[in-house]
Structure formats: C-alpha cells, structure tokens
Amino acid sequence: MKYRHDMGDDERYAGGLDRILELVVLLNDDMTKSLAAQGLSVSRMTLLWTLRSLGPSPQRALAEALRVTPRAITGLVDGLVAGGLVTREPHPADRRATLVTCTERGTALLDETAGQQREFGRQLFAHMPVARFDALVAGLDDVLATLHGLGLVHQPGVTE
Amino acid sequence: MKYRHDMGDDERYAGGLDRILELVVLLNDDMTKSLAAQGLSVSRMTLLWTLRSLGPSPQRALAEALRVTPRAITGLVDGLVAGGLVTREPHPADRRATLVTCTERGTALLDETAGQQREFGRQLFAHMPVARFDALVAGLDDVLATLHGLGLVHQPGVTE
DNA sequence: CCATATCGTGACGGTACTTCATCATGTACC
DNA sequence: GGTACATGATGAAGTACCGTCACGATATGG
C-alpha cells in the first residue's frame, strides 16, 4: 500500500515520451547532417532507398510510396538526376510515364550508407549488456506496434 | 561455445537501429502534422518552447539556443508575431536588441501542447507492463548517454 | 472517335535555412 | 571625446522541400 506517490503514472509516461522525443530530434538532426555530408538530403535519400526496394518505377508510384504529391517527386528526381544517382528512362508501355532507375553510383551510395549505419549501430549498442539491449528492442517493438495500432502509420496497401 | 550464429551482433544492432530510425521517422512526421493542425511548424514551436524556458530573450540568444543563424530567428519570430504568440519589445538596456516575449496566447498554446503530449504518453505506455516500460526507459537513457558521449549533442555551454 | 482519367511538369506560394551586406548601436582604448 | 572595432537585427538573394492549380500529352473505355 502506498502512502505517497513518488511519481504518478502520467509523470512516468511523460518522462518516457520526453526521452523518445529527445532521441527523435537528435537522430533526425544527425541523419540530416550525415546525409548532407554526402551531398544528399533526407528526402532524396528516402527516394533513392525506396527506389531500390521497388525497382525502376514511374514517378507516380514513388509519390505514393513517399506519401507526397507527384509534383514533389519531380523535384526530387531532378536533383538525383543532376547528381547522377538515378536516370529517367522512357516507360516501355506508357509514353506518358517515365521510369526512374537507380544508377550504379546510386546503389554504391546506398551501400556506403548502409555500411555507415552498421558502424553507427555498433557504436550505439556494442557496449550494452545483452539483456538491456534486448529489453530496449522489445520496448521499441511495443511502442511501434502501438503506433501502428493508433493508425499513425502508413502501411503500403492500406487505403485510408 | 557456439557452433553457429543465429544472428551476428552486427545484425542485431542493425535491427535495433532500424527500429529506432523507424520511430524517429514516424514520430517526426507525427510531430510535424500535429503541430500543423495547430497552425504551427516544428521550428516555430521549438522557438516558442525555448522562449518559455529562457524567458524574454534577445534574438541572438534564441539563435544560439536553436543553433541556427540570427537571420533565421528573424523569420521565425516574424511568423510567431503574426500569429500573436510572441511580441517584440525594445530591450531596456541595449537599443540594438529586441526582447522576444511570449504572449498569453503563446503560453496557452504551449500548455495545450503539453496536455496533448501527456495524453499521447498515456496512449503509448499505459498498456505496457511496468517492467517493460522501465526497461525501455533504461535502454533509451543508455542510448541517449551514448549519443552525448559521441559528441552528437549540443549541450548549452559547451563550446565546440 | 470522343469523353474522361492519368502522368508529369510549369507556375506560383509558403516555410526554413544559409551567406553576405548594411545600418544602428555599444564598447574599448588612446 | 573621438575613432576603431564588435555586435544586434534585418534586407537581399539563393537553395531546398512541399503544396495547389493548370495544362499538355497520352491512355482507355464506351
């Protein structure tokens, strides 16, 4: 039986959320800066990354994948083309559309970034006791599942 | 002794980092949208939030706190003034400077946002077993400490 | 063959951030 | 007291991202 609350549940939750939000701000910032060092932006990298998993795609498909308007894709692709990371090819079946395709430089850059992430993961977690790491991942999975449940997430294929 | 790795450490770390990054992207996005619903942007909200903890401040101080150029502050303050959330007052001691001050509308909006965060924290964590929640927070603290150690973080007062 | 939908993009507006130049003011030093 | 330099804020111009609206080119169904 408690005679006195050291901290109400709401306070505890707030503390947890604060930590998560600090992480969000910090890593978002770091992501932006790291990519800038490679001459990329988060948006362009997202597009490139999506492109690899989709394969050569018309811009319309990319717009849906990134959940932005087709107009935004035009601009992003422009930038990536200028950087030699993707090309615009004619769509073989639909002359209205263009197929955006990753170049070798594009995939090389993608691989390089993946390597950097690996290294970053090591720096973040290598010193942690296994139990703590596993508990962290379990907690994160829980939170992510909750977010999905709250409808905060956009799974491909789910019409809103 | 292990005869076979189910998963190398690097793979485990990568999985952990993936979850964190998914969270970063998701919450960053949600933050942006929630604030947009209140007619604010993340930058403006950050400024407002900083202003509350600093008290009335010259724009220069805000520039350092947000780690952007003074010129960027001019624009953000312009927007907040237009929204009636802050005012520009003359600095009593330095006629070059202006003191940015939070209005009542500003603090009201800040309080409202804090309430929404509380509610969000409840939605995220209320269903979690206490042990899992605590372990998550411990893991997050560990990660945050590591990030600080990596010099990824800008504590006020630390000259780089 | 024609109406309608779709693909991509030009034009335009909004936000955020930068650098550089400028003006007003503060400050230090002779 | 006056001159030189530092500092606060902002105008101008440039980059990047995103949105809406309009439009031309093409596809497609009746």
Side-chain angles (χ1 to χ4, degrees):
Chain A
M1 179 180 181
K2 291 188 194 168
Y3 291 94
R4 183 178 101 74
H5 293 276
D6 279 347
M7 211 193 297
D9 280 344
D10 273 15
E11 267 65 45
R12 288 160 24 87
Y13 299 156
L17 186 52
D18 281 349
R19 286 165 173 91
I20 289 187
L21 292 182
E22 184 182 349
L23 203 63
V24 168
V25 171
L26 243 52
L27 288 187
N28 195 56
D29 211 61
D30 178 58
M31 215 160 56
T32 304
K33 286 182 185 167
S34 301
L35 289 178
Q38 294 178 297
L40 271 187
S41 69
V42 174
S43 297
R44 300 224 250 254
M45 178 51 101
T46 306
L47 175 37
L48 205 55
W49 194 88
T50 303
L51 198 55
R52 182 167 61 174
S53 58
L54 291 184
S57 313
Q59 298 187 187
R60 178 64 201 252
L62 296 170
E64 285 162 11
L66 299 205
R67 304 186 66 81
V68 295
T69 59
R71 188 61 186 83
I73 300 296
T74 299
L76 293 177
V77 172
D78 284 350
L80 289 169
V81 167
L85 302 176
V86 307
T87 58
R88 269 190 251 248
E89 311 282 349
H91 191 294
D94 186 340
R95 288 194 304 171
R96 294 169 302 178
T98 66
L99 272 189
V100 183
T101 308
C102 209
T103 65
E104 288 190 20
R105 268 199 67 192
T107 59
L109 195 148
L110 239 16
D111 290 341
E112 184 193 336
T113 304
Q116 289 175 358
Q117 272 203 25
R118 251 181 148 51
E119 173 57 24
F120 187 48
R122 228 173 286 137
Q123 290 181 348
L124 269 192
F125 302 127
H127 72 280
M128 281 179 67
V130 177
R132 167 158 299 192
F133 176 78
D134 288 342
L136 171 60
V137 171
L140 289 173
D141 278 338
D142 197 323
V143 169
L144 284 169
T146 304
L147 288 175
H148 282 84
L150 288 176
L152 247 164
V153 177
H154 336 288
Q155 298 109 314
V158 174
T159 319
E160 283 156 17
Chain B
M1 181 177 180
K2 289 187 194 167
Y3 292 94
R4 182 177 100 74
H5 293 275
D6 279 349
M7 209 194 300
D9 281 344
D10 273 14
E11 271 68 29
R12 287 159 25 86
Y13 299 155
L17 187 51
D18 281 350
R19 286 166 172 90
I20 288 186
L21 291 182
E22 183 182 350
L23 203 62
V24 168
V25 172
L26 242 53
L27 288 187
N28 195 55
D29 211 62
D30 177 57
M31 214 161 56
T32 304
K33 286 182 184 165
S34 301
L35 288 178
Q38 295 178 298
L40 270 188
S41 70
V42 174
S43 296
R44 300 223 251 251
M45 178 50 102
T46 305
L47 175 38
L48 206 53
W49 194 88
T50 303
L51 197 56
R52 183 168 60 174
S53 59
L54 291 185
S57 313
Q59 298 186 187
R60 177 66 202 254
L62 296 171
E64 285 163 11
L66 300 205
R67 304 187 64 82
V68 295
T69 60
R71 189 59 184 85
I73 299 297
T74 299
L76 294 176
V77 172
D78 283 351
L80 289 169
V81 168
L85 302 176
V86 306
T87 57
R88 267 192 252 250
E89 311 283 349
H91 191 294
D94 187 339
R95 288 191 307 172
R96 294 170 303 177
T98 65
L99 272 189
V100 183
T101 308
C102 208
T103 65
E104 286 191 22
R105 269 199 66 193
T107 59
L109 195 148
L110 239 17
D111 290 341
E112 184 192 337
T113 304
Q116 290 175 359
Q117 273 203 25
R118 251 181 146 54
E119 172 58 23
F120 188 47
R122 226 173 285 138
Q123 290 181 348
L124 269 193
F125 302 127
H127 72 280
M128 282 179 67
V130 176
R132 166 158 300 192
F133 175 78
D134 289 340
L136 171 61
V137 170
L140 290 172
D141 279 338
D142 197 322
V143 169
L144 285 170
T146 304
L147 288 175
H148 282 84
L150 288 177
L152 247 164
V153 177
H154 334 287
Q155 299 107 315
V158 175
T159 319
E160 282 156 19

